[in-house]
Amino acid sequence: MIETEAPAERALLVGVQLKSQQGGWDVQDSLQELAQLARTAGLEVAGQTWQRLDQYHSATLVGSGKAEELVELRRDLACDVLIMDEELSPRQLRNLEELMGEDFKVLDRTSLILDIFAQHARTREGQLQVELAQYQYRLPRLTRAWTHLARQAGGGAARGGSGGVGLRGPGETQLESDRREINRRIAQIKGELEQVRRHRALHRRQRQRTAIPVIAIVGYTNAGKSTLLNALSGAGVLVEDKLFATLDPTTRRVQLPSGREALFSDTVGFIQKLPTQLVAAFRATLEEINEADLLLHIVDITHPQVSEQSEAVMDTLADLEVIDRPMLYALNKIDRLEDREVLDDWLEEYPGSVAISATRGQGLEQLLQEVEDMLKENLVYVTLRLPYDRGDLAALFHQQGTVVKMSHGEEGTNIEGYLPRRWLEEVRPYLI
């Protein structure tokens, strides 16, 4: 007997645009991206609709008339799932589930992205981070119909070895039991991730001793980060025309034009309305960005919302408090660019940006030269007199900078040389 694949679930997409919203993402553009997310998750897009409102409705997000229309569209389009392009409150989710009827799924953009991350996480760390985000999202949204969720989120309790929901105490409801089990699992995952964080910090300290500069590749999802890392290093990172095709960071050595080596780290792609749970859960992974000497911001110059995508990346970097890190823009996919004026405008707005095609290798030599030049610019020549009890700063100078001259005097160690700008505040009290 030949097994056949089950047909994909059919999704109805719903967007909302506030009348007060000026500029930025248009609701139809956002719905187009939501459709790409839905297809990445393995869903078939059956249709989409949207509404312009003065404000979100507290009961169902959309107005009552539009809510009734969704029920009709469910029947007419033979849909299996409703996906809202905004994050739903627990009350809105519950009301929409009741309105759409039994055996019908209601998702929002956040839960859809969490599902995609769960599908694509490959390493143990990535799986733990996604599972934590899923639990934190679902906990306030537990309803009577959502029982035994501790067995569902990311394969959680079953994979964690604790095995489902424990025995209930006297008078404890199933919902209370589920909440208690989920809170227990959240604490367990956080403990495991803390161990991962300490292990990562140890590797980072070992790497810092080699004084190899770190370049973190950041950008909107599908902008070409993995393709660029492959082109620069032959890393063999998975490249697919899907959103969030790769989640787990990959770091590779790349030789710069002078022969000096640098570490290039490919980080998870960003997206507009990136769930706060994911930013928090992936903070351990994104520490690579915080430790980077330079951020290499990859921009898909061919995308119709190129400016909005770039702004979404900058907003996320601001959330991670790394917006002050030196940044180089790489304007990617110039081989597919039809309007040269778009590129000229970006080059004018961001002097020093480099136009590249990661797939064809165009502009990569110039990109590496610009990276090296920026790393040199980021070095500051300083003269320090360090007390003998601050041997840690002397070691820091040797690890992170270049010592030109060093001598020992009665008051301490005198050091001259080049130090990365980000360490300047650390040594400022000892500047001569």
Side-chain angles (χ1 to χ4, degrees):
M1 182 177 178
I2 299 176
E3 291 186 8
T4 58
E5 259 188 49
E9 291 183 302
R10 291 169 58 81
L12 171 61
L13 313 183
V14 184
V16 175
Q17 183 158 33
L18 298 178
K19 294 177 182 177
S20 59
Q21 182 179 332
Q22 300 293 328
W25 289 86
D26 180 83
V27 64
Q28 294 177 336
D29 294 329
S30 190
L31 278 173
Q32 184 177 351
E33 184 176 82
L34 186 68
Q36 193 175 0
L37 285 167
R39 286 189 284 268
T40 299
L43 300 170
E44 176 187 343
V45 177
Q48 62 183 45
T49 184
W50 62 280
Q51 184 177 31
R52 193 182 300 274
L53 295 170
D54 290 321
Q55 61 183 14
Y56 297 128
H57 285 245
S58 59
T60 54
L61 190 75
V62 294
S64 56
K66 174 61 73 170
E68 293 298 332
E69 181 187 326
L70 298 180
V71 177
E72 296 177 13
L73 285 171
R74 173 200 173 175
R75 182 181 60 252
D76 295 343
L77 298 174
C79 297
D80 307 288
V81 56
L82 176 74
I83 307 178
M84 306 295 289
D85 195 30
E86 304 290 337
E87 184 167 313
L88 296 169
S89 70
R91 179 190 177 199
Q92 291 166 341
L93 177 63
R94 183 170 60 251
N95 289 341
L96 283 169
E97 285 178 332
E98 291 176 358
L99 180 69
M100 301 304 290
E102 293 184 7
D103 301 321
F104 190 83
K105 299 176 185 175
V106 177
L107 304 175
D108 59 15
R109 186 184 182 93
T110 297
S111 56
L112 179 63
I113 292 175
L114 288 172
D115 183 67
I116 293 170
F117 271 53
Q119 291 179 34
H120 291 173
R122 294 290 177 264
T123 66
R124 176 62 176 159
E125 179 186 4
Q127 291 166 351
L128 284 170
Q129 289 168 331
V130 173
E131 186 180 352
L132 175 62
Q134 285 179 316
Y135 278 133
Q136 290 174 329
Y137 170 79
R138 288 175 172 173
L139 185 59
R141 291 168 175 80
L142 281 181
T143 67
R144 195 171 300 278
W146 288 24
T147 56
H148 303 285
L149 280 182
R151 297 177 182 175
Q152 297 175 17
R159 192 173 63 231
S162 56
V165 179
L167 293 175
R168 284 174 278 167
E172 185 178 26
T173 67
Q174 184 63 58
L175 272 176
E176 290 167 343
S177 177
D178 284 348
R179 287 194 184 100
R180 181 166 54 82
E181 172 63 17
I182 289 177
N183 278 317
R184 184 202 63 78
R185 181 61 183 147
I186 285 174
Q188 182 181 349
I189 295 171
K190 285 182 175 179
E192 291 185 54
L193 283 174
E194 179 60 24
Q195 291 180 352
V196 171
R197 191 194 67 79
R198 287 197 295 266
H199 184 69
R200 185 185 294 278
L202 177 62
H203 276 280
R204 190 158 51 240
R205 285 196 298 272
Q206 291 173 342
R207 187 177 67 202
Q208 286 174 346
R209 291 192 189 103
T210 66
I212 299 178
V214 177
I215 293 88
I217 305 175
V218 300
Y220 207 81
T221 182
N222 226 22
K225 299 187 308 303
S226 298
T227 302
L228 178 62
L229 186 61
N230 284 344
L232 292 176
S233 68
V237 181
L238 174 67
V239 176
E240 286 189 85
D241 189 18
K242 288 183 178 179
L243 303 183
F244 305 117
T246 53
L247 294 182
D248 302 304
T250 303
T251 301
R252 293 290 183 270
R253 288 177 182 256
V254 175
Q255 193 173 66
L256 299 176
S258 67
R260 183 187 185 191
E261 286 188 328
L263 293 175
F264 282 70
S265 184
D266 179 18
T267 60
V268 63
F270 301 146
I271 195 169
Q272 62 142 341
K273 305 174 189 175
L274 186 67
T276 54
Q277 294 91 345
L278 275 178
V279 174
F282 274 77
R283 189 167 291 275
T285 302
L286 296 174
E287 282 178 359
E288 292 294 320
I289 298 176
N290 194 44
E291 295 296 326
D293 296 283
L294 175 68
L295 302 183
L296 182 54
H297 184 172
I298 310 304
V299 177
D300 178 359
I301 197 68
T302 67
H303 200 282
Q305 280 76 49
V306 55
S307 296
E308 288 79 8
Q309 288 190 348
S310 177
E311 186 177 343
V313 172
M314 298 302 289
D315 288 344
T316 305
L317 293 174
D319 290 341
L320 293 169
E321 299 178 351
V322 292
I323 200 71
D324 59 339
R325 193 73 65 231
M327 183 180 298
L328 171 63
Y329 282 86
L331 312 179
N332 193 24
K333 307 186 184 181
I334 57 172
D335 56 306
R336 292 162 46 184
L337 189 63
E338 296 179 0
D339 185 359
R340 174 75 192 190
E341 288 186 7
V342 174
L343 178 59
D344 292 339
D345 290 343
W346 271 79
L347 290 172
E348 183 178 346
E349 185 174 354
Y350 298 96
S353 300
V354 181
I356 67 168
S357 168
T359 55
R360 297 193 177 183
Q362 291 176 248
L364 299 191
E365 290 183 8
Q366 182 188 351
L367 178 67
L368 289 177
Q369 185 61 59
E370 195 68 34
V371 165
E372 186 155 49
D373 290 345
M374 286 194 69
L375 289 174
K376 289 177 181 176
E377 288 174 11
N378 193 40
L379 294 175
V380 182
Y381 195 87
V382 295
T383 302
L384 305 178
R385 178 171 294 129
L386 298 174
Y388 285 116
D389 62 356
R390 292 310 309 265
D392 58 318
L393 291 182
L396 173 72
F397 208 126
H398 282 281
Q399 293 164 10
Q400 297 293 322
T402 302
V403 176
V404 174
K405 185 188 299 184
M406 185 172 71
S407 63
H408 300 284
E410 292 183 4
E411 299 180 21
T413 303
N414 299 315
I415 301 180
E416 290 183 44
Y418 295 92
L419 195 65
R421 192 178 301 275
R422 64 192 175 99
W423 295 108
L424 198 54
E425 286 304 312
E426 192 82 16
V427 301
R428 188 174 296 281
Y430 308 106
L431 289 173
I432 298 176

